[in-house]
Amino acid sequence: MAEHAEGGGTLPPPRPLDAIDQDILQMLQADGRASIRSVAERVHVSRANAYARINRLLEDGVIRGFGARVDHERAGQGTSAYITLKIVQNSWRTVREHLRQLPGADHIALVGGDFDVLLLVHTPDNKALRELVLMRLQAMPEVLSTRTLLVFEEEDIGLEG
């Protein structure tokens, strides 16, 4: 069954990625602003081939987009936390839509285990985090309980920069 793209279209079924595709992905994860020429040179293909491969990876939904890696502390979001949520059964889609609207929400995952949802947030300070948890999350009728895990230090692994 094909998945739906964020733009509303249907994605083709997943295709296996070869070593060149994997190299392109690794390079673009390290530097999303890399030029087609530099990608082609690094993976030893023509510019036309590199361009076609990147477009296919985009069309297939392998590459979901390009963005900046942000130092949240320097951007005024110095408090980070993982928040676990237990939610009412079958309320994932509703909860996910509410969580997407939260200021500072960075990552949302439906998981198995002792809780249902794992949410990563970045806020300006502990007061803003407290308000987000107590006033926004716990006010949602679908949320049965939360647990907040304050992040003391974080690092993106596997990425340059």
Side-chain angles (χ1 to χ4, degrees), residues 36 40 45-53:
I36 295 290
V45 298
S46 70
R47 284 186 294 211
N49 189 335
Y51 183 80
R53 282 174 176 268

Side-chain angles (χ1 to χ4, degrees), residues 72-135:
H72 296 285
E73 190 169 349
R74 294 191 57 83
Q77 302 289 308
T79 299
S80 298
Y82 286 96
I83 303 169
T84 66
L85 294 85
K86 288 186 181 180
I87 61 174
V88 172
Q89 189 172 6
N90 297 322
S91 67
W92 163 241
R93 287 178 182 84
T94 302
V95 170
R96 179 180 58 199
E97 292 310 311
H98 287 297
L99 297 179
R100 284 179 173 166
Q101 304 304 314
L102 288 178
D106 193 34
H107 183 84
I108 305 165
L110 178 66
V111 298
D114 293 337
F115 49 89
D116 304 305
V117 178
L118 183 62
L119 170 67
L120 173 60
V121 297
H122 304 284
T123 62
D125 52 34
N126 285 351
K127 182 179 177 185
L129 175 62
R130 179 181 183 274
E131 185 173 313
L132 186 138
V133 172
L134 297 179
M135 306 305 287

Side-chain angles (χ1 to χ4, degrees), residues 20 23-24 27-28 31-54:
I20 294 172
D23 288 347
I24 289 171
M27 186 174 182
L28 290 176
D31 180 7
R33 295 173 33 168
S35 69
I36 295 290
R37 184 178 66 88
S38 64
V39 170
E41 288 174 0
R42 172 122 181 242
V43 300
H44 309 292
V45 298
S46 70
R47 284 186 294 211
N49 189 335
Y51 183 80
R53 282 174 176 268
I54 291 169

